[in-house]
Amino acid sequence: MTGPLIAGARPRLASLPESPEVGWLFLDLNAYFASVEQQERPELRGRPVAVVPMITRNTCCIAASYEAKAFGVKTGVSLADARKLCPQIELVAGQPRLYVEYHHRILAAVEQCLPVDSVLSIDEMACRLLGRERQVENARRLARAVKAALRQVGETLRCSVGLAPNRFLAKVASDMQKPDGLTVLLARDLPQALFALAPGDLPGIGPRMQQRLARAGITTMPQMAALSPGAMRGLWGSVLGERMWHWMRGADFHDPEPPRKSLGKQHVLAPEFRPFAAAWPVALKMLHMAAGELRQLGLWARGLGLGCEFLGGPPPAFWQDQCRFLPCRNEFTLQAHLRRLWARCPPRPLILISVYFDRLAAEGERTLPLFEAADDRRDRASAAMDALNRKFGPQTVYPAGLYPARDSAPVRIPFRTIPRLDRFKAQTG
Ligand SMILES: [Mg+2]
């Protein structure tokens, strides 16, 4: 699929005296997966649509169209409940590859209007505004241009845009009006402009933090805004509270992305892979995919974890175990570790498997193992496998043990990181 070239999408900006009013434009697509489905299948437009990972009984909605949201169907609702809330709901099996393709086309379209500074998830991106773009009227013009560019990618696509002095508040603003919103938060109106929100509407304040705030008597934004930076630091138990104090007042700084601590794959098994013995090739395939990502990111793992959720039966419903080792990223050694973990798992039918690496280390942080020679050969073999897979598609060469599962465990729908498109090539056939 090639995206349309959006010529001249960047609007002409008025030449106003420069006095910065907003610093960031944040863009959040509305009902993204469902809109892409409605774009691809016009018969779904105007109808309640729920996107599910696959159409089986034990699944839940990962996205809902606005028509479905009107019935109370939202992300995380089980399929059974969705059908109760809205009997005429249209169920669509998610197509991760398609959403990633659209993501890249959307990114290109936005970049015709202004450069994207950070991609925060498959449907969220932030742009830093510079010079005249920081004038609020000019920023609004850019926001409208971005919305128009999006409709050239797909006429069903809508986004909510937030304009604010920092990225944190721009995200908050993008959440204040949906769908197709455009909300501006100006420094001179802060923090009062946030008073209609609840503390839990701010990114980083989850249910646990909300409880902690409530125990301290803080349940509204005006109460939170009355706290001192020191009091916020104390409540959070970290510098994050103090940062939030400054963000709420428009200070423009954000933290560098923290280094990754773990990396893994989780997969709901299709019925034929649920018997314990049949699930092993799927676990191997997940390890294969995660190990490829580890090497692509230039990281080493010092731990491996395996988690299994059983399909019915007596408690416990979950089992998990971990092992630790010297920094490693070659598939052969990692497979041996996984095999040992697998042998410890009760051999019951499974519904879900997760395989993850932890205690990740970057190249420089790795302490060299004493007996490197054997692993060195294995590292080179893994690197050769990666090179072939990059050149000829991701499943050209893979460990023989995962052959029965070669078509299972497709690349999952990404929320945090956007896979490169070449990871999907093998699934298109
Ligand atoms: Mg969204």
Side-chain angles (χ1 to χ4, degrees):
M1 197 187 322
T2 51
L5 258 184
I6 301 158
R10 195 177 177 102
R12 293 181 67 134
L13 299 183
S15 179
L16 300 165
E18 201 179 298
S19 82
E21 295 177 293
V22 285
W24 287 84
L25 182 153
F26 195 97
L27 161 93
D28 178 8
L29 278 108
N30 306 127
Y32 175 56
F33 299 159
S35 313
V36 170
E37 294 296 341
Q38 288 174 322
Q39 177 62 30
E40 291 284 307
R41 293 173 53 191
E43 74 274 17
L44 294 176
R45 295 182 193 175
R47 299 195 44 79
V49 174
V51 180
V52 294
M54 55 178 149
I55 299 179
T56 57
R57 235 165 7 98
N58 300 324
T59 192
C60 68
C61 304
I62 53 172
S65 70
Y66 271 83
E67 296 82 359
K69 287 180 203 270
F71 288 89
V73 179
K74 53 187 179 187
T75 304
V77 165
S78 75
L79 194 49
D81 286 343
R83 282 197 169 119
K84 255 181 250 159
L85 290 163
C86 178
Q88 70 273 40
I89 197 144
E90 300 272 0
L91 296 174
V92 178
Q95 306 182 70
R97 172 181 167 275
L98 188 65
Y99 310 148
V100 173
E101 274 181 12
Y102 267 87
H103 167 84
H104 289 287
R105 293 174 61 192
I106 290 165
L107 199 59
V110 173
E111 292 223 304
Q112 299 279 332
C113 306
L114 82 168
V116 172
D117 175 86
S118 29
V119 171
L120 288 115
S121 72
I122 195 163
D123 70 340
E124 291 178 322
M125 46 196 91
C127 309
R128 188 194 292 275
L129 302 172
L130 299 169
R132 282 188 288 163
E133 297 162 353
R134 297 169 67 96
Q135 279 290 333
V136 75
E137 272 324 304
N138 285 334
R140 279 184 198 276
R141 219 161 278 157
L142 281 166
R144 286 191 293 269
V146 163
K147 283 166 177 280
L150 204 63
R151 283 177 205 210
Q152 294 215 28
V153 176
E155 55 184 302
T156 62
L157 300 178
R158 297 287 180 275
C159 67
S160 289
V161 174
L163 297 168
N166 59 42
R167 194 177 83 179
F168 175 85
L169 288 178
K171 180 175 165 69
V172 172
S174 75
D175 223 31
M176 287 169 73
Q177 191 193 355
K178 285 176 170 183
D180 207 16
L182 173 51
T183 303
V184 185
L185 291 173
L186 293 175
R188 59 169 173 266
D189 301 327
L190 293 169
Q192 290 79 3
L194 306 173
F195 283 3
L197 303 176
D201 291 332
L202 299 185
I205 303 191
R208 279 181 57 184
M209 192 62 219
Q210 276 180 66
Q211 282 170 12
R212 203 188 299 176
L213 288 170
R215 280 199 297 274
I218 313 290
T219 55
T220 68
M221 285 302 286
Q223 287 167 340
M224 202 164 114
L227 296 169
S228 70
M232 284 189 61
R233 189 187 184 128
L235 267 170
W236 262 258
S238 80
V239 71
L240 185 65
E242 199 171 327
R243 285 186 189 138
M244 200 164 301
W245 189 93
H246 290 284
W247 281 331
M248 282 168 59
R249 285 152 183 87
D252 185 12
F253 62 90
H254 56 258
D255 303 323
E257 302 299 326
R260 281 188 85 148
K261 293 247 161 44
S262 70
L263 178 164
K265 302 278 163 205
Q266 193 172 57
H267 183 62
V268 176
L269 295 165
E272 66 270 31
F273 294 109
R274 291 176 187 175
F276 189 72
W280 167 245
V282 180
L284 266 185
K285 173 156 183 192
M286 289 162 69
L287 181 89
H288 172 66
M289 288 164 63
E293 213 168 305
L294 193 70
R295 294 189 292 268
Q296 193 191 315
L297 293 168
L299 298 172
W300 301 78
R302 289 176 290 189
L304 173 68
L306 171 68
C308 295
E309 186 179 338
F310 301 115
L311 179 69
F318 300 93
W319 174 90
Q320 85 170 341
D321 204 355
Q322 292 151 355
C323 60
R324 292 184 164 193
F325 36 79
L326 288 168
C328 175
R329 65 181 176 198
N330 84 71
E331 199 124 349
F332 311 96
T333 308
L334 293 171
Q335 259 192 34
H337 292 305
L338 183 67
R339 196 179 295 277
R340 275 192 290 276
L341 290 176
W342 189 260
R344 295 182 206 156
C345 180
R348 292 168 49 188
L350 302 175
I351 178 75
L352 182 137
I353 298 180
S354 69
V355 171
Y356 57 91
F357 300 123
D358 65 2
R359 305 173 71 231
L360 300 184
E363 198 71 56
E365 305 165 272
R366 183 172 71 110
T367 41
L368 288 176
L370 275 174
F371 303 99
E372 208 181 11
D375 251 24
D376 197 38
R377 258 200 332 274
R378 292 172 158 196
D379 284 337
R380 271 180 302 173
S382 284
M385 184 166 70
D386 291 344
L388 284 170
N389 288 339
R390 259 197 307 277
K391 190 157 180 195
F392 300 106
Q395 291 205 51
T396 308
V397 190
Y398 51 82
L402 66 79
Y403 181 78
R406 66 201 178 284
D407 297 324
S408 78
V411 178
R412 285 187 75 239
I413 293 171
F415 288 94
R416 290 263 137 242
T417 56
I418 319 302
R420 294 182 344 215
L421 263 178
D422 58 10
R423 305 213 54 183
F424 290 90
K425 273 186 192 149
Q427 288 170 40
T428 57

